[in-house]
Amino acid sequence: MSHKGLLIVISGFSGAGKGTLVKKLMEEYGDYALSISMTTRSPRPGEEHGREYFFVTKEAFEDKIAKDGFIEYAAYCENYYGTPKDYVVSCLEQGKNVILEIEIQGAMKIKERFPQAVLLFVMTPSVEELKRRLLGRGTETEEVIMKRLSRAAQESEGIESYDYIIVNDDLDTCVKELHELMEKSRDKMQASHHPENYKELIENCRNELNALVKGEK
Ligand code: 5GP
């Protein structure tokens, strides 16, 4: 399949600020379309059906799986999340850059299915900061936060499979960097954001997350 648009996958630990980053990127630059996922999780306060997600029942989700309606889907913290096929395919065919904000299992499926996709992983400068942001969000119970941290520990194992790392420290800088990377990413491997150059950060995050999940911190 040859597409003119760029398929951009953005993953990152829950709480790393992917959502804010993508929102700002879309506001500042007109070159992107955002795929709206379908999920079986309940809306958080302020979220709207058709804006953040299409919120559906498990039955409706499974029906769409059976009809081959997703380009990828995954189970994450006891809920389903999936990328509806039609919108993404039509954007790519029209030559638009499409962003998928998805977790790692889905990202790996996209990499297999669309080898030309660009995969980005958003990290916080430290695990301490990640915890602070998750707690600060105030929308999740402690149990949910622990599940998400435990999931982050698992996900930290797969970071090197991504093409680029984005460290979300200062939002404006990050948005600018992201856009510039996308402009250049027709010739993929941009060395400055390659996982190779973030070995220490990745390793520290992984160790701290694992220690945290095991209750050592
Ligand atoms: P949240 O519940 O915080 O909105 O999302 C939980 C995780 O699911 C996040 O890592 C988010 O990126 C991911 N996610 C959202 N939509 C999709 C999707 O369509 N497919 C997959 N695989 N993951 C998704």
Side-chain angles (χ1 to χ4, degrees), residues 10-15 18 35-39 41-42 44 47 52-53 55 61 70 72-77 79-84 100-107 109 137 140 148 151 155:
I10 304 190
S11 305
F13 304 138
S14 177
K18 285 165 297 183
S35 157
I36 299 171
S37 295
M38 199 167 268
T39 184
R41 87 147 160 75
S42 315
R44 294 188 188 120
E47 286 184 335
E52 280 78 15
Y53 284 105
F55 296 98
F61 198 101
F70 294 109
E72 65 71 37
Y73 69 91
Y76 176 95
C77 294
N79 283 299
Y80 278 132
Y81 293 82
T83 307
L100 312 183
E101 199 204 307
I102 62 178
E103 52 67 70
I104 199 159
Q105 301 170 71
K109 285 185 208 150
R137 189 143 84 179
E140 259 98 6
R148 281 169 183 254
R151 183 59 191 240
E155 290 198 329

Side-chain angles (χ1 to χ4, degrees), residues 2 5 18 20 22 28 30 37 45 72 76 80 92 95 104 108 132 143 145 154 161 168 180 199 202:
S2 92
K18 285 165 297 183
T20 320
V22 169
E28 303 224 334
S37 295
E72 65 71 37
Y76 176 95
Y80 278 132
L92 291 176
I104 199 159
M108 293 306 113
R132 202 184 59 77
E143 194 198 340
I145 291 176
Q154 285 171 22
S161 308
N168 187 7
E180 285 169 5
K199 273 187 176 160
I202 296 171

Side-chain angles (χ1 to χ4, degrees), residues 1 3 5-9 33-37 69-72 82-102 110 114 117:
M1 241 191 293
H3 295 298
L6 195 61
L7 183 57
I8 304 163
V9 173
L34 179 64
S35 157
I36 299 171
S37 295
F70 294 109
I71 55 170
E72 65 71 37
T83 307
K85 192 188 265 180
D86 294 354
Y87 179 76
V88 172
V89 170
S90 105
C91 283
L92 291 176
E93 279 167 359
Q94 291 165 46
K96 285 189 205 154
N97 299 327
V98 194
I99 300 179
L100 312 183
E101 199 204 307
I102 62 178
I110 293 290
F114 301 84

